[in-house]
Amino acid sequence: MNNIRLVRTNAGSPARKNTIIITSPSLNENLNVSGISSVTKFIINNNPDNHYIHFELGKADHQKRDFRWFMNINRSFIAWCRMLLANRNVVVHFNFAMEQRSILRDSPFIVAARLMRKKMVIHLHGGKYLMQDPPVWINRILKLVLLGREPKIVLSEFEKEMVVKRFNIEDVYVLPNSVSLIEARKYRPVYPIRGPLNLLFMGRFVESKGIRYLFEACVLLKKMQIDFRLYFAGKGREEARYVKLFSALLDKQFIFKGVVAGDDKVALMQACDVFVLPSLFGEGLPMALLECMSFGLVPVTTDDGSMGYLVKHEETGLLVKKYSAEDIAEAIRALDGDRQMLRSLGISCKDYIEDHYNPDTYIHNLNRIYTLCR
């Protein structure tokens, strides 16, 4: 299998400036809470050696999948073909989620770019069928999409092993997500010796994130008389339901922040001690997890997707079982009862992000992958 060795370096990017068409949902957090959008924004903001053209692909959070949505996809495909024809010497950076709806929507766009002989990178971002066997017909579509000679980017060695084994593909490169560390480097976390533990859930409000089990864990924590506050940030289709449930259960212990960005997001992460993400399926390497760890929040997560590569149990956080409210509650109870462990894990995960997820290294290695496009 062809491969390159991606190394940690602060060396500059290649001098030659490419024009790169990069796909993702809207980059406006108020329209779309999306890990892919966060990765795309990070790449555009941190890679000045390339000129990026953002092609919006994917529905906004408020949009319904109806006839109008279907017609928008058709118009997007026409616009996509026109853009590819109008820009001859470009590289296509196609962000691709391994979810059924994304696969059905995005595959024709990838095939069109391939038929027009565009240089392309296919960047995989988690999804149900990254880790689970797809139905036969989905498997056939994925093989059609992934069997090309374009470089494929995955987020961990584990993901690489999975996609190579499942789809028998080559040209797979590991490039873990990264985040800006500018604000995190300025911050020195202070962990409370006593008083309420401040918990944070930040991301999309969907069942796959394990929100139901987080709610049941909060019921258990109340019975244990654990003093805590729970902050919610983000949006999603389960937002109204769970905001109502958590509010009724926790009253003033529950603080709903909605969509946060910029200084508001930084202030929220600085106010919290623990990041909780008990995902059930579909994760890649969440940007919210990287961001929170960079500020010293102790992660309490499952090992879904590539999270287990980042969260090492009792080293850089606590891993809990999927579908287990009891495990979530016990992890939080342990952190509440041992504030020295809370501090130790928080400092450890902050240092780990600094040492292993350097943004300069990420951009350097991404640019090296661009040079392999053919």
Side-chain angles (χ1 to χ4, degrees), residues 108-142:
F109 289 78
I110 293 176
V111 171
R114 187 175 291 153
L115 290 175
M116 294 186 198
R117 299 182 180 277
K118 298 299 180 183
K119 296 180 178 179
M120 182 163 50
V121 172
I122 300 175
H123 197 160
L124 304 183
H125 292 273
K128 181 178 180 179
Y129 297 127
L130 184 66
M131 298 299 169
Q132 298 181 24
D133 290 326
V136 173
W137 64 279
I138 290 286
N139 190 63
R140 287 174 179 168
I141 295 174
L142 286 172

Side-chain angles (χ1 to χ4, degrees), residues 19-263:
T19 296
I20 298 175
I21 299 173
I22 189 166
T23 67
S24 81
S26 172
L27 302 182
N28 184 342
E29 295 95 341
N30 293 310
L31 297 176
N32 189 275
V33 176
S34 162
I36 293 178
S37 296
S38 296
V39 172
T40 300
K41 186 182 293 187
F42 168 81
I43 291 171
I44 293 172
N45 291 341
N46 289 275
N47 199 357
D49 293 318
N50 291 302
H51 170 62
Y52 283 94
I53 301 172
H54 175 234
F55 186 88
E56 188 172 315
L57 184 59
K59 79 177 190 69
D61 289 330
H62 68 275
Q63 286 181 312
K64 296 181 179 179
R65 289 184 171 87
D66 52 16
F67 180 75
R68 183 181 298 179
W69 167 78
F70 178 75
M71 294 304 297
N72 283 339
I73 293 177
N74 289 334
R75 284 192 287 269
S76 293
F77 184 74
I78 294 170
W80 175 251
C81 293
R82 287 175 176 170
M83 178 178 284
L84 295 180
L85 290 171
N87 295 273
R88 292 188 177 182
N89 298 315
V90 295
V91 174
V92 173
H93 185 144
F94 205 101
N95 289 303
F96 190 64
M98 303 280 273
E99 294 282 354
Q100 180 171 307
R101 289 168 175 166
S102 298
I103 293 165
L104 294 176
R105 181 195 65 211
D106 295 348
S107 296
F109 289 78
I110 293 176
V111 171
R114 187 175 291 153
L115 290 175
M116 294 186 198
R117 299 182 180 277
K118 298 299 180 183
K119 296 180 178 179
M120 182 163 50
V121 172
I122 300 175
H123 197 160
L124 304 183
H125 292 273
K128 181 178 180 179
Y129 297 127
L130 184 66
M131 298 299 169
Q132 298 181 24
D133 290 326
V136 173
W137 64 279
I138 290 286
N139 190 63
R140 287 174 179 168
I141 295 174
L142 286 172
K143 285 188 174 181
L144 174 66
V145 168
L146 298 176
L147 282 178
R149 299 182 66 195
E150 304 90 358
K152 271 75 68 174
I153 297 175
V154 294
L155 305 179
S156 69
E157 288 291 344
F158 178 62
E159 289 189 11
K160 179 177 178 178
E161 292 172 10
M162 294 295 289
V163 298
V164 169
K165 180 180 179 180
R166 180 168 288 126
F167 302 109
N168 192 29
I169 59 176
E170 298 184 347
D171 305 294
V172 181
Y173 304 97
V174 176
L175 185 65
N177 288 338
S178 184
V179 289
S180 173
L181 298 176
I182 294 172
E183 294 300 326
R185 284 169 175 162
K186 300 175 186 176
Y187 178 62
R188 292 293 175 265
V190 177
Y191 299 95
I193 299 174
R194 62 183 63 86
L197 205 60
N198 292 312
L199 314 177
L200 173 62
F201 175 93
M202 183 164 65
R204 292 180 62 80
F205 301 154
V206 291
E207 292 287 357
S208 64
K209 299 292 186 181
I211 300 179
R212 170 187 165 188
Y213 297 94
L214 176 56
F215 175 78
E216 293 177 1
C218 288
V219 173
L220 296 174
L221 290 169
K222 291 279 287 184
K223 291 180 180 178
M224 297 176 189
Q225 297 185 330
I226 301 297
D227 191 9
F228 71 97
R229 287 189 289 254
L230 176 62
Y231 291 81
F232 255 40
K235 64 190 304 184
R237 60 179 175 266
E238 299 292 338
E239 176 183 327
R241 177 189 174 197
Y242 278 105
V243 168
K244 182 177 180 180
L245 286 172
F246 279 101
S247 296
L249 174 69
L250 301 178
D251 194 24
K252 294 181 180 179
Q253 290 176 265
F254 177 71
I255 303 97
F256 178 58
K257 305 293 287 188
V259 176
V260 292
D263 292 342

Side-chain angles (χ1 to χ4, degrees), residues 254-274:
F254 177 71
I255 303 97
F256 178 58
K257 305 293 287 188
V259 176
V260 292
D263 292 342
D264 291 337
K265 181 189 283 190
V266 170
L268 178 59
M269 290 187 289
Q270 290 176 343
C272 294
D273 310 304
V274 178

